[in-house]
Amino acid sequence: MQKAVIEYFGREWSFNKVKTLIDQTANAFSQFGIKCGDTVLVGLSNTPEAVISLLPINKMGTVSKCVTVQSKDSKDSELCKR
């Protein structure tokens, strides 16, 4: 068994699992029409899923903006409520 690269509250993800999720997510983003140079807003709490969603965005050459409802920037919190 591979060593976990992400551990979070008893859940573990191996490198191969993370790489597979990154590739699948990048393909899904491409199918939605997201391409290099686009900006993508990610509104998730601080979890492994948030990290795994940011990595394919960067892999594709897009720009990511990560916000949470707890964000101190009022513009960011408003974006999350939409």
Side-chain angles (χ1 to χ4, degrees), residues 48-60:
E49 290 81 7
V51 173
I52 291 170
S53 70
L54 291 171
L55 294 172
I57 293 168
N58 295 334
K59 176 182 179 176
M60 297 171 65

Side-chain angles (χ1 to χ4, degrees), residues 26-41:
N27 287 335
F29 287 159
S30 289
Q31 290 176 357
F32 282 119
I34 298 170
K35 59 190 177 312
C36 184
D38 288 348
T39 300
V40 178
L41 175 73

